Amino acid sequence: QQQVKQSPQSLIVQKGGISIINCAYENTAFDYFPWYQQFPGKGPALLIAIRPDVSEKKEGRFTISFNKSAKQFSLHIMDSQPGDSATYFCAASMLLRTGGFKTIFGAGTRLFVKA
Amino acid sequence: DTEVTQTPKHLVMGMTNKKSLKCEQHMGHRAMYWYKQKAKKPPELMFVYSYEKLSINESVPSRFSPECPNSSLLNLHLHALQPEDSALYLCASSQGYRSGEQYFGPGTRLTVT
């Protein structure tokens, strides 16, 4: 019930194309859904996040679509660039009664954008 | 400033050694986290601190001992580790109750020999 399932494992996209990564969760206690980008040798960096009362959020070339009834959310990267080549993690977070957030990460998607 | 710093960057230790990892943030965040990340795997939550108190321990073995001396610092004390504990250890911080946005440090690459 704590799992976050992410697909695909890897993705190759042409420069200028759309990259789409999908995630699904089970526990309805999760109330914050961030996406992280990680380059080799670096820590994850927050890309964009959404709360379940919103169905879509757009920031620049990055859009999250959220389907609360299906317990699914996805990341769309428009006009994908070679610099977007990285590992992307979806995550689901819940506020702890004792403070802070418990965050479960998806397995990750390795994106390669061909020039 | 949205920086979380971690020291050291790399650490090699024997199974009988005692060492510590350090993490620091100056964003005024009141929640701090330790994660473990194995190669090609997602980060796994180990500990959450909120207002300098341990909020959750995700069933982490006692050979890992966290400490939060003040609101800006988080330590992870290591003792009698096993080779399978070799991983990237990530520290993160967030505002606490108001926002789930977590800012990660670059990590400490730990090798246990």
Side-chain angles (χ1 to χ4, degrees):
Chain A
Q1 215 188 7
Q2 295 287 329
Q3 272 191 326
V4 177
K5 294 181 181 175
Q6 182 172 349
S7 63
Q9 244 183 335
S10 62
L11 185 58
I12 300 174
V13 173
Q14 286 290 132
K15 179 182 173 183
I18 303 173
S19 304
I20 302 173
I21 305 171
N22 300 300
C23 284
Y25 65 100
E26 295 174 354
N27 191 340
T28 54
F30 290 126
D31 58 4
Y32 179 77
F33 299 88
W35 285 88
Y36 288 89
Q37 179 189 56
Q38 186 174 28
F39 292 103
K42 305 285 187 186
L46 180 66
L47 204 55
I48 186 173
I50 198 167
R51 294 202 178 274
D53 52 348
V54 176
S55 61
E56 186 175 281
K57 183 174 181 181
K58 184 176 179 179
E59 287 183 4
R61 295 185 294 112
F62 301 94
T63 300
I64 300 179
S65 297
F66 191 88
N67 185 331
K68 187 174 178 179
S69 59
K71 291 189 275 188
Q72 294 175 347
F73 57 111
S74 60
L75 176 70
H76 290 61
I77 306 174
M78 312 300 286
D79 187 26
S80 299
Q81 298 296 313
D84 296 331
S85 298
T87 299
Y88 291 81
F89 293 101
C90 63
S93 293
M94 66 176 80
L95 178 63
L96 295 166
R97 199 168 33 84
T98 44
F101 285 78
K102 176 170 179 168
T103 300
I104 306 296
F105 284 78
T109 296
R110 301 183 84 180
L111 171 65
F112 180 69
V113 181
K114 290 167 69 172
Chain B
D1 181 12
T2 57
E3 194 180 21
V4 175
T5 58
Q6 291 188 243
T7 54
K9 284 193 168 78
H10 301 275
L11 178 62
V12 180
M13 60 185 289
M15 289 190 284
T16 58
N17 291 159
K18 283 185 184 181
K19 296 285 184 185
S20 296
L21 309 185
K22 295 186 186 305
C23 173
E24 191 166 5
Q25 58 88 14
H26 294 289
M27 294 177 276
H29 289 171
R30 302 314 299 266
M32 296 185 77
Y33 309 79
W34 280 115
Y35 289 84
K36 173 182 177 180
Q37 186 177 27
K38 301 280 266 184
K40 295 190 167 79
K41 295 290 186 185
E44 290 180 9
L45 184 63
M46 300 174 71
F47 303 101
V48 179
Y49 270 82
S50 176
Y51 289 79
E52 297 145 54
K53 288 186 167 51
L54 183 65
S55 183
I56 58 168
N57 171 343
E58 290 286 85
S59 303
V60 179
S62 60
R63 56 186 184 268
F64 295 91
S65 175
E67 179 198 19
C68 190
N70 61 55
S71 59
S72 300
L73 291 173
L74 186 66
N75 298 322
L76 187 62
H77 303 297
L78 314 172
H79 173 55
L81 294 193
Q82 304 297 309
E84 59 264 28
D85 296 322
S86 298
L88 182 69
Y89 288 84
L90 294 161
C91 173
S93 69
S94 71
Q95 284 186 343
Y97 285 94
R98 284 181 291 161
S99 170
E101 288 183 6
Q102 292 185 27
Y103 294 87
F104 282 81
T108 293
R109 176 73 60 189
L110 173 68
T111 303
V112 182
T113 59

